[in-house]
Amino acid sequence: MSYYFAIISPLDTPLFEHEFGTSKSGGDGQPRFTDQARHLNQFILHSSLDIVEELQWTNGQLYLKVIDKFFQNYISAFVTASNVKFLLLHQPTTSVPGAAAAPNTATAAASSRVNSTSVGANPTSPQTEEAIKNFMNEAYENYVKAIMSPFYKAPNMEIRSLVFRQRVAAAGRKYL
Amino acid sequence: MAANKASRLGEETRIDKVNAELVVLTYGTIVSQLCKDFDSDYVEVNKQLDKMGYNIGLRLIEDYLAKSNTVRRCSNFKETAEMIAKVGFKIFLNITPTIANWTNDGKQFSLIFDENPFADFVELPDDGRAQDELWYSNILCGVLRGALEMVQMQVEAHFISDVLRGNDTTEMRITLIRYIDDELPPEDD
């Protein structure tokens, strides 16, 4: 299970991005995206913004759950009160077709072991939704603190705070 | 004994409270605006903060004396330090910095701030210089300098470490330069 988390400003500028892997069920917290997927992730994530903008008015919740799917890439969204979007792309590695045929068998073995029980094995299950909700809430809490810094020019400046990055990574370790 | 009296005074003095975040954001805006106005010349920003604090201190001392009911003059500089930490900081910022590192002549001490209400949420700009040059809470130095000057003490105050810069503690060094004698106006012959 690999995750790509991004914060998008109301003017659709990326403010923050972070990649990480699952830490549940013996995961090492490292993302398993290929170099190609890394570039693709940004496109997938940003293309889901249209759906977010449609869905955000349908219910009063900040957390919108899984809103988009592109092959094995699931997008969960969280929209803050000031219309800043938190998007999380999650890619379960279970259903990679022909995992056995993967050139690196060690990686394949590791990922299949991780997947069978990990929180993200089924991206739309209530457990996963709950885990992502917790992650989003914690990221939101820390985001609020980060933008309270007087040297941060809200709302359209990249978040460069190392503390914030560490806290997001910690939330990822804790819940996902 | 003086120490106990000071902390009791600090506890007893009732004072109106304001929302901490209002203070944080207001002070933060001042500092970040100064950084902008002076083009990130942090040495100049420190000076300006100190000057602003000095002007606050000049009038704040009156408020302090009125609120804390301390009519008696401090008998020595140690007592002054106690009153600053346990009464002054307590009633205006609701914190009690620790007094430490006295020099032998009793003219120099440190205030160690375990918490600093000004610095909540703050992260210094990551331009590579702010971490070494900006003293974010420098206004406090000015406040002490201004306030003590009004009660016949000329002091010098500066920060020597700040948790915002990655130091372990926030420490301010205060040095008594002299007691200002009442100076007679020049005689007119």
Side-chain angles (χ1 to χ4, degrees):
Chain A
M1 191 78 173
S2 302
Y3 297 94
Y4 169 63
F5 174 66
I7 299 180
I8 318 282
S9 85
L11 303 169
D12 293 349
T13 325
L15 302 180
F16 177 83
E17 50 176 11
H18 184 65
E19 276 180 9
F20 59 98
T22 186
S23 300
K24 297 287 176 213
S25 334
D28 57 0
Q30 294 303 313
R32 298 261 183 271
F33 292 119
T34 60
D35 279 345
Q36 215 178 357
R38 279 210 168 84
H39 301 298
L40 201 57
N41 284 344
Q42 303 184 335
F43 281 107
I44 299 170
L45 206 80
H46 280 78
S47 67
S48 69
L49 281 173
D50 285 341
I51 301 173
V52 175
E53 274 160 20
E54 259 174 53
L55 281 178
Q56 64 173 313
W57 307 111
T58 56
N59 61 7
Q61 302 297 311
L62 299 177
Y63 177 46
L64 302 174
K65 303 184 183 169
V66 173
I67 52 142
D68 196 10
K69 176 175 180 265
F70 181 80
F71 292 96
Q72 277 308 311
N73 300 293
Y74 294 81
I75 313 276
S76 293
F78 182 97
V79 185
T80 74
S82 60
N83 209 8
V84 174
K85 286 125 191 146
F86 289 24
L87 297 175
L88 181 75
L89 180 148
H90 35 123
Q91 190 183 54
T93 25
T94 8
S95 39
V96 173
N104 189 342
T105 44
T107 321
S111 56
S112 63
R113 189 199 56 203
V114 168
N115 287 319
S116 52
T117 49
S118 76
V119 101
N122 179 4
T124 46
S125 72
Q127 289 91 327
T128 314
E129 273 175 5
E130 190 62 27
I132 293 177
K133 183 182 175 187
N134 289 335
F135 169 77
M136 291 292 200
N137 279 327
E138 193 153 319
Y140 182 40
E141 222 170 86
N142 290 313
Y143 167 78
V144 171
K145 285 182 188 154
I147 62 168
M148 287 279 271
S149 172
F151 297 104
Y152 179 78
K153 303 277 174 283
N156 222 24
M157 186 180 126
E158 182 194 348
I159 304 174
R160 284 190 298 246
S161 160
L162 282 178
V163 179
F164 180 68
R165 188 170 292 278
Q166 282 161 7
R167 286 181 180 159
V168 169
R173 269 199 303 281
K174 195 160 143 200
Y175 297 113
L176 298 174
Chain B
M1 206 253 17
N4 287 338
K5 196 183 133 249
S7 41
R8 191 167 42 82
L9 257 176
E11 292 294 336
E12 278 172 359
T13 309
R14 299 307 310 159
I15 192 112
D16 295 333
K17 293 198 169 83
V18 293
N19 186 305
E21 269 153 43
L22 175 70
V23 178
V24 173
L25 291 178
T26 315
Y27 184 68
T29 312
I30 291 173
V31 180
S32 80
Q33 187 64 42
L34 281 174
C35 292
K36 210 162 136 194
D37 290 352
F38 290 99
D39 240 351
S40 298
D41 179 352
Y42 297 121
V43 177
E44 187 60 32
V45 172
N46 291 340
K47 262 186 220 156
Q48 292 295 327
L49 284 173
D50 185 83
K51 210 188 271 180
M52 289 160 89
Y54 177 74
N55 287 320
I56 293 172
L58 293 183
R59 49 202 96 192
L60 199 66
I61 185 70
E62 201 68 54
D63 196 32
Y64 161 84
L65 290 170
K67 280 187 176 133
S68 63
N69 293 319
T70 42
V71 279
R72 203 173 49 81
R73 193 170 270 275
C74 293
S75 53
N76 55 35
F77 198 50
K78 289 212 164 156
E79 201 179 320
T80 311
E82 294 281 342
M83 294 308 257
I84 291 170
K86 293 187 174 138
V87 186
F89 274 101
K90 177 72 190 166
I91 63 180
F92 291 117
L93 287 177
N94 199 22
I95 55 170
T96 312
T98 316
I99 302 165
N101 305 337
W102 277 100
T103 50
N104 288 333
D105 59 3
K107 286 192 170 171
Q108 203 178 74
F109 67 98
S110 291
L111 286 177
I112 297 170
F113 296 85
D114 300 320
E115 48 177 341
N116 179 356
F118 286 155
D120 285 345
F121 312 116
V122 175
E123 285 184 47
L124 297 181
D126 56 355
D127 57 5
R129 292 188 300 115
Q131 297 272 343
D132 301 318
E133 292 171 15
L134 179 64
W135 292 116
Y136 185 80
S137 311
N138 214 36
I139 201 166
L140 295 176
C141 299
V143 172
L144 287 184
R145 188 163 63 86
L148 291 176
E149 187 179 300
M150 292 302 276
V151 285
Q152 276 79 45
M153 271 171 268
Q154 189 184 354
V155 299
E156 197 280 324
H158 62 275
F159 277 100
I160 56 173
S161 67
D162 190 341
V163 284
L164 291 179
R165 291 184 172 203
N167 303 127
D168 293 334
T169 51
T170 303
E171 182 171 349
M172 191 205 285
R173 199 86 186 128
I174 295 148
T175 315
L176 174 68
I177 298 173
R178 65 185 181 113
Y179 285 99
I180 305 166
D181 298 321
D182 289 331
E183 282 166 24
L184 292 173
E187 283 177 57
D188 34 50
D189 290 322

